[in-house]
Amino acid sequence: MCILFSIANGDPQPGGYKLIIASNRDEFYSRPASAAKEWSDNPFVYGGSVGQLEKFGHFQGQDLEEGREGGTWLAISAKGGVTKFGALLNITGEIAHKDARGRGPLVSDYVSGNIANDDYCQNLVNLSEQYNSFNLITIEINGTEARTIHCSNVPVGLQEWPCDTVHGFGNSPPETPMAKVVGGKSKFQEIIAQHDDKDVLVENLMAMLSSRDKYWPDDELRRRAPRWGESLSSICVKMPEAGYGTRTHTVVLVDDKNRMDFYEKTMVTSEPADPWKNTHIVRHL
């Protein structure tokens, strides 16, 4: 289970934000992954050739599971004045196929390429049967234009979401959101409406991502995860009995002057009670 809240606006008011992201990654505690970083072989610079990953700047955690190394669930990059953000969420309760292609590169390929998000998502929809179920959220900011496009293979299709509006995504199709997505979206809206102080904004978003309040009962979640529904009904999931839960909290801000602040709090061991690592990356996009 994962969850993501976003708002994008290519032309915000002075002192406002072009992009605000708040996201949790839920995963088995034993699955290895690196913390968010600037990839050592990918310096954060503008320009470069298509397909040469080292020519782009990327901040993301990398999947280290054998056979899936280098994939990612969330990343941001910039090239030639275009900022790209991508995030991948699975869809709970759908049949998985062992011979399906790995989904981790879906985000990396998007943020490292020069294909606009509408064309990228359309191409992906045409190949969607090759992958297990997914929700892919792509955000592109080019000058004063911001576009948020979601694509999925359950059901197969893509949809553009309006600019300067709060959106929430989880582990079900957006048309049938889980209760915690609906409740979290309202909380996200409330928090960003009072964003005069950046430190307070980040603190409040991280507190929201850490919330164990349950949005239960939830018919959609009960249907998709009948055994674990109630345990999965909070924004922050903690299920030590299943070795599963929220491993990473991420907040990304891009302000009106193109300053990016990437905040992450993530597990560094397989024990959720151990200290977590805090990361703060600042760059001008």
Side-chain angles (χ1 to χ4, degrees), residues 16-38:
Y17 291 94
K18 293 186 175 182
L19 181 66
I20 304 177
I21 298 288
S23 179
N24 274 348
R25 179 198 182 214
D26 300 345
E27 185 52 89
F28 288 103
Y29 297 141
S30 60
R31 185 170 185 177
S34 67
K37 61 183 179 181
E38 183 177 6

Side-chain angles (χ1 to χ4, degrees), residues 130-149:
Q130 300 180 17
Y131 300 93
N132 283 325
S133 60
F134 66 85
N135 281 325
L136 179 68
I137 296 89
T138 65
I139 300 174
E140 194 157 315
I141 303 173
N142 187 352
T144 59
E145 182 182 23
R147 301 187 71 184
T148 298
I149 297 179

Side-chain angles (χ1 to χ4, degrees), residues 16-269:
Y17 291 94
K18 293 186 175 182
L19 181 66
I20 304 177
I21 298 288
S23 179
N24 274 348
R25 179 198 182 214
D26 300 345
E27 185 52 89
F28 288 103
Y29 297 141
S30 60
R31 185 170 185 177
S34 67
K37 61 183 179 181
E38 183 177 6
W39 285 6
S40 59
D41 57 348
N42 298 290
F44 195 88
V45 297
Y46 296 105
S49 301
V50 179
Q52 294 183 340
L53 205 59
E54 69 274 9
K55 299 295 185 178
F56 297 83
H58 303 274
F59 296 101
Q60 58 194 51
Q62 290 177 276
D63 196 345
L64 302 180
E65 185 177 43
E66 185 175 357
R68 297 181 180 269
E69 300 91 345
T72 187
W73 60 93
L74 181 151
I76 187 170
S77 69
K79 184 187 76 165
V82 178
T83 298
K84 290 184 173 184
F85 172 85
L88 179 71
L89 301 86
N90 71 1
I91 300 180
T92 301
E94 300 294 326
I95 297 174
H97 303 283
K98 63 179 181 180
D99 56 346
R101 296 176 61 180
R103 294 166 292 186
L106 296 182
V107 171
S108 299
D109 289 349
Y110 167 63
V111 298
S112 65
N114 68 346
I115 302 176
N117 58 349
D118 54 348
D119 290 334
Y120 182 85
C121 288
Q122 184 58 64
N123 292 338
L124 180 57
V125 164
N126 294 337
L127 301 172
S128 61
E129 74 281 354
Q130 300 180 17
Y131 300 93
N132 283 325
S133 60
F134 66 85
N135 281 325
L136 179 68
I137 296 89
T138 65
I139 300 174
E140 194 157 315
I141 303 173
N142 187 352
T144 59
E145 182 182 23
R147 301 187 71 184
T148 298
I149 297 179
H150 161 270
C151 68
S152 179
N153 54 1
V154 181
V156 176
L158 61 85
Q159 179 181 356
E160 182 164 358
W161 295 72
C163 177
D164 200 23
T165 300
V166 166
H167 303 302
F169 302 94
N171 297 113
S172 64
E175 296 77 14
T176 54
M178 294 176 183
K180 65 179 181 179
V181 174
V182 176
K185 178 181 170 182
S186 176
K187 184 65 175 177
F188 180 81
Q189 176 73 71
E190 177 184 332
I191 291 171
I192 66 171
Q194 305 170 359
H195 70 260
D196 291 342
D197 185 286
K198 184 193 311 186
D199 291 339
V200 174
L201 171 63
V202 173
E203 181 182 353
N204 289 341
L205 289 174
M206 283 292 185
M208 179 194 74
L209 294 174
S210 302
S211 174
R212 299 291 313 285
D213 294 342
K214 293 181 178 180
Y215 293 86
W216 192 256
D218 177 352
D219 291 341
E220 179 69 10
L221 183 51
R222 193 196 306 272
R223 183 177 70 82
R224 290 187 171 276
R227 181 181 178 187
W228 300 104
E230 184 172 0
S231 298
L232 295 168
S233 66
S234 53
I235 291 176
C236 180
V237 174
K238 188 174 182 181
M239 298 170 54
E241 68 278 16
Y244 181 89
T246 298
R247 292 183 51 125
T248 304
H249 309 304
T250 304
V251 171
V252 181
L253 307 176
V254 178
D255 70 14
D256 61 320
K257 297 180 175 60
N258 291 317
R259 170 185 159 127
M260 180 197 73
D261 286 270
F262 191 119
Y263 301 87
E264 182 186 85
K265 183 177 181 181
T266 191
M267 288 174 55
V268 293
T269 75

